[in-house]
Amino acid sequence: MEINKADQWQFLQNYTPARIARGRAGHSLPTAELLKFQADHAQARDAVYSELKVLDLFQALLSTFNLEVLRLQSEVKSRSQYLQRPDLGRTINQASRKILLEEDASESDICFVVADGLSASAINEHAFSFLNHLIPKLQAENWEIAPICIVEQGRVAIADEIGFLLKASIVIILIGERPGLTSPDSMGAYITYQPKLGLTDESRNCVSNIRPEGLNYELASEKIFYLLNEIKVKKISGVQLKDEMNDKQIL
């Protein structure tokens, strides 16, 4: 039996963090690679059950931007329920709905929603830094920005109701994506024009893997700033809106 035989595709590890070319011991992975797999799997599971640092995020947003910040919750009562009942994570609870209605919001160009999703770790690590790149770009162009909403136990579609109640033309939700074995802290951004209850995924544009090891904050903010301007001008989003931005433009 050959032990720890080198994999002929090992050079590909120079180009991707994907779990390829890990070698073998007989018909199995080498012990070291098996232990790394188990550690990455545990890290991904931990990310799913991680908790949103609401107070830290609230204070950071409030002290940095000249914007109101609201704390909201979905109808989910616990993390186990969040995983078992995705539908409850798509709607805000009565207390949060009351908060938004009492805002008596005027019309705005955009509403930012920040939700834990399937990896609160991603939001804890990346949401503020990303917004610190994007919001100043919008403020420089005189975009009218609604209160920023932090949502606990939220799914993507929860932004539709929030954006509608705050009378925003566009809503963008930053949310922790499903953890991968090499990316437990990946953040996604979903953008919707004319948000309202009942919309489905074809109505949204998605920019995913926002993190330093993926699409970094500056590149992600440039990409999303482009999409937001396209949506504002063309008044469409989702599958109707084609991303014609050349990535070389933001390099």
Side-chain angles (χ1 to χ4, degrees):
M1 178 184 295
E2 295 179 277
I3 305 297
N4 295 332
K5 182 176 180 180
D7 194 297
Q8 63 178 325
W9 301 107
Q10 195 165 17
F11 72 95
L12 292 174
Q13 292 183 21
N14 296 324
Y15 307 103
T16 176
R19 195 170 300 279
I20 58 174
R22 298 298 182 176
R24 60 187 174 88
H27 296 293
S28 303
L29 283 170
T31 300
E33 291 299 331
L34 178 60
L35 292 175
K36 288 179 183 178
F37 172 85
Q38 292 174 335
D40 287 345
H41 186 260
Q43 193 174 31
R45 287 177 58 87
D46 287 345
V48 171
Y49 288 96
S50 58
E51 294 184 3
L52 189 62
K53 296 179 180 178
V54 179
L55 290 178
D56 290 348
L57 182 58
F58 182 91
Q59 291 296 334
L61 294 172
L62 196 62
S63 62
T64 303
F65 308 112
N66 187 27
L67 297 168
E68 186 178 1
V69 183
L70 304 176
R71 291 182 57 180
L72 309 173
Q73 288 187 310
S74 73
E75 292 186 338
V76 171
K77 300 295 192 299
S78 66
R79 195 60 179 172
S80 60
Q81 186 183 53
Y82 176 86
L83 298 173
Q84 295 170 24
R85 291 288 306 274
D87 57 311
L88 296 180
R90 298 187 185 113
T91 56
I92 53 175
N93 62 19
Q94 288 295 335
S96 296
R97 192 170 292 110
K98 182 179 178 182
I99 290 173
L100 294 178
L101 290 172
E102 289 178 348
E103 277 291 306
D104 192 22
S106 56
E107 292 185 359
S108 59
D109 295 315
I110 188 167
C111 173
F112 285 95
V113 178
V114 183
D116 41 15
L118 287 167
S119 175
S121 297
I123 298 302
N124 295 334
E125 291 293 326
H126 310 309
F128 173 74
S129 296
F130 168 75
L131 289 174
N132 207 19
H133 280 74
L134 179 58
I135 288 180
K137 296 178 190 293
L138 297 173
Q139 290 176 327
E141 297 293 328
N142 297 315
W143 281 58
E144 189 67 33
I145 303 175
I148 300 174
C149 298
I150 302 173
V151 184
E152 296 179 75
Q153 309 286 12
R155 299 275 180 171
V156 171
I158 203 168
D160 297 337
E161 184 177 10
I162 295 171
F164 176 79
L165 292 175
L166 289 178
K167 301 178 183 177
S169 294
I170 303 170
V171 67
I172 175 170
I173 181 170
L174 305 179
I175 194 165
E177 297 183 302
R178 187 182 304 277
L181 291 176
T182 58
S183 55
D185 62 342
S186 178
M187 183 176 75
Y190 293 80
I191 312 166
T192 309
Y193 177 68
Q194 293 292 295
K196 60 182 179 181
L197 284 171
L199 294 180
T200 49
D201 287 342
E202 84 278 357
S203 300
R204 319 183 212 284
N205 293 88
C206 175
V207 177
S208 63
N209 198 28
I210 301 172
R211 59 194 184 106
E213 300 81 5
L215 188 63
N216 66 48
Y217 308 137
E218 181 60 33
L219 296 182
S221 65
E222 290 290 344
K223 170 67 74 176
I224 291 174
F225 184 63
Y226 161 81
L227 288 172
L228 290 175
N229 278 288
E230 288 289 287
I231 291 170
K232 188 176 184 181
V233 171
K234 297 179 179 178
K235 303 187 184 306
I236 53 175
S237 64
V239 295
Q240 297 181 71
L241 181 68
K242 304 305 178 185
D243 182 357
E244 298 175 344
M245 183 179 190
N246 187 338
D247 286 341
K248 293 181 179 179
Q249 293 177 248
I250 61 174
L251 296 180

